[in-house]
């Protein structure tokens, strides 16, 4: 009788149990040294010693996927949004020089559909395997009255570690260092409130061909998941010893994210002519009547990660990134300056936003 009353209030315990059974094999597949990736306990365990660190510093990050989740809900495509969830946190870890160790997810909904939840976790597990990060736990919350219908929201929590002597950014960033960009896969998981408004104003449907990718539906094209930069960045850091800083280009774009890793007394000068602007950004700028500076502050514009590297090793670093699947753009260099109140990111040239 008590369980029936709870179900009548909108919370189905049995549905939660069914989802757990569906995701157990997905979670087990993310096991790595230090974690067995089993779920069902009250907390997840990780053995840092077994992971092979000698003088580790833990690094933690948390994020969500923003209103990109609305496109997943409205299109009924739930299998990639979990990749975005992992990427937004682990990409933040690697900019500190940290290797992701474990991840936990939070899935909140109005009415739990175990198949939808399992599809989301399938994406989470896929991304965790890609970056060798154990999925050691999570939480599913059914909250009728807070979320409605098939709505749900996601949050992710990642913990990584770096040897103390290898933390980024390094203190020796100086004028003359080179700035390298790693290409993005698309809009990633920022700016989607503006993206959705532009789509609505253009009176487009998620099932119509994407103006910037006619072989794909608009919904599928915009759901292209955030690129995972962990493996390539760790490879470049470890193989070359010449990566001085990394900046994940998320909300705030170039203008707000790059200064977060710069020491006092320096700025970066970027040549916008070298930014490989993806068609989706050209379309958004044109359809939404968005100026260049707002594009640079809102979107990644085609560059999802920026690296500051020793100039003498720029070729070696670029080769290492390319060998690990990245498309490279030489963006500019570190310059002297940056008095109080001065811009930390200087631009020359123009973004190619022609559509």
């Amino acid at each position: 009788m008590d369980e029936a009353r709870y179900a009548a209030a909108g919370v189905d315990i049995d549905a939660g149990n069914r989802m757990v059974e569906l995701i157990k094999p997905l979670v087990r597949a993310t096991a790595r040294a230090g974690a067995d990736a089993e779920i069902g306990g009250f907390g997840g365990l990780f053995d840092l010693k077994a992971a092979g660190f000698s003088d580790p510093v833990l690094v933690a990050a948390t994020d969500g996927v923003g209103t990109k989740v609305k496109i997943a809900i409205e299109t009924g495509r739930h299998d990639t949004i979990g990749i975005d969830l992992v990427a937004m946190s682990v990409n933040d870890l690697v900019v500190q020089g940290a290797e992701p160790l474990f991840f936990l997810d939070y899935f909140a909904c109005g009415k739990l559909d175990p198949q939808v939840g399992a599809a989301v976790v399938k994406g989470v597990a896929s991304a965790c395997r890609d970056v060798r990060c154990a999925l050691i736990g999570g939480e599913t919350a059914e909250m009728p009255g807070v979320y409605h219908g098939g709505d749900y929201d996601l949050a992710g929590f990642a913990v990584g570690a770096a040897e103390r002597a290898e933390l980024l950014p390094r203190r020796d960033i100086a004028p003359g260092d080179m700035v390298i960009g790693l290409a993005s896969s698309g809009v990633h998981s920022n700016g989607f409130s503006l993206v959705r408004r532009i789509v609505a104003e253009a009176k487009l449907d998620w099932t119509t061909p994407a103006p910037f990718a006619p072989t794909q539906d608009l919904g599928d094209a915009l759901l292209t998941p955030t690129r995972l930069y962990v493996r390539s960045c760790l490879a470049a850091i470890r193989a070359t010893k010449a990566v001085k800083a990394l900046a994940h280009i998320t909300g705030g774009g170039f203008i707000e994210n790059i200064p977060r890793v710069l020491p006092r007394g320096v700025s970066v000068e970027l040549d916008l002519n070298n930014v490989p602007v993806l068609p989706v950004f050209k379309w958004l700028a044109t359809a939404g009547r968005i100026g260049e500076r707002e594009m640079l502050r809102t979107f990644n514009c085609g560059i999802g990660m920026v690296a500051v590297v020793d100039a003498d090793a720029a070729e070696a670093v670029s080769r290492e990134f390319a060998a690990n699947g990245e498309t490279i753009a030489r963006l500019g260099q570190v310059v002297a300056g940056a008095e109080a109140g001065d811009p930390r990111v200087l631009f020359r040239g123009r973004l190619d936003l022609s559509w």
Side-chain angles (χ1 to χ4, degrees):
M1 182 65 175
D2 290 339
E3 288 185 8
R5 293 200 64 180
Y6 201 15
V11 178
D12 188 343
I13 294 174
D14 291 333
N17 291 335
R18 287 195 298 274
M19 179 174 160
V20 170
E21 292 306 310
L22 287 171
I23 67 175
K24 276 185 176 179
L26 302 174
V27 173
R28 288 192 187 108
T30 71
R32 56 153 292 162
D36 59 14
E38 289 290 336
I39 57 173
F42 286 95
L45 304 178
F46 192 93
D47 183 344
L48 202 56
K49 185 176 181 180
F53 289 89
S54 58
D55 185 22
V57 174
L58 292 178
V59 183
T62 182
D63 211 336
V65 297
T67 58
K68 187 173 186 177
V69 74
K70 287 292 290 181
I71 302 178
I73 293 166
E74 291 169 6
T75 61
R77 179 179 168 182
H78 310 285
D79 57 337
T80 62
I81 199 72
I83 300 174
D84 290 287
L85 184 66
V86 175
M88 294 303 290
S89 284
V90 298
N91 286 344
D92 281 353
L93 293 185
V94 80
V95 303
Q96 307 284 150
E99 173 187 335
L101 300 177
F102 59 87
F103 188 84
L104 299 97
D105 66 273
Y106 176 76
F107 180 96
C109 60
K111 182 173 177 56
L112 180 61
D113 181 331
Q115 296 295 332
V116 170
V120 172
V121 175
K122 182 179 180 181
V124 171
S126 171
C128 284
R129 289 196 307 273
D130 186 282
V131 301
R132 296 187 64 249
C133 180
L135 178 57
I136 65 170
E139 174 70 9
T140 301
E142 197 171 16
M143 298 189 290
V146 176
Y147 298 93
H148 302 283
D151 285 351
Y152 62 84
D153 198 11
L154 305 171
F157 311 86
V159 174
E163 296 292 357
R164 193 177 306 273
E166 297 175 359
L167 284 168
L168 297 181
R170 283 169 31 182
R171 297 179 179 179
D172 61 343
I173 296 172
D177 288 337
M178 301 299 296
V179 180
I180 296 172
L182 310 184
S184 70
S185 56
V187 185
H188 287 182
S189 291
N190 297 102
F192 271 90
S193 293
L194 178 55
V195 171
R196 290 169 52 247
R197 173 171 287 188
I198 292 169
V199 169
E201 289 174 349
K203 295 181 170 54
L204 296 175
D205 188 87
W206 299 129
T207 61
T208 59
F212 51 88
T215 61
Q216 292 182 280
D217 289 351
L218 179 58
D220 285 350
L222 289 173
L223 283 172
T224 300
T226 304
R227 186 166 179 79
L228 292 155
Y229 294 103
V230 169
R231 288 194 297 177
S232 62
C233 286
L234 288 177
I237 291 167
R238 292 167 177 172
T240 70
K241 310 297 184 184
V243 176
K244 295 186 175 184
L246 295 164
H248 187 199
I249 307 303
T250 57
F254 293 86
I255 293 172
E256 295 186 8
N257 285 295
I258 296 175
R260 296 167 67 181
V261 301
L262 297 177
R264 292 181 181 178
V266 300
S267 298
V268 296
E269 183 179 72
L270 306 183
D271 186 349
L272 296 179
N273 295 317
N274 291 341
V275 175
V277 181
L278 296 174
V280 61
F281 297 112
K282 297 182 180 187
W283 177 75
L284 287 168
T286 301
R289 301 177 299 281
I290 307 172
E292 181 180 81
R293 185 166 182 83
E294 186 174 0
M295 290 294 296
L296 289 165
R297 195 180 183 190
T298 305
F299 298 113
N300 68 62
C301 296
I303 296 292
M305 184 72 75
V306 166
V308 178
V309 307
D310 188 306
D312 293 337
E315 286 294 337
V317 174
S318 296
R319 285 195 300 270
E320 192 66 33
F321 277 129
N324 284 276
E326 302 296 351
T327 300
I328 308 303
R330 292 292 188 93
L331 296 181
Q333 62 181 338
V334 176
V335 296
E339 298 295 332
D342 287 348
R344 307 297 303 280
V345 183
L346 309 171
F347 299 109
R348 55 188 172 89
R350 298 298 300 272
L351 285 178
D352 179 9
L353 296 174
S354 57
W355 175 252

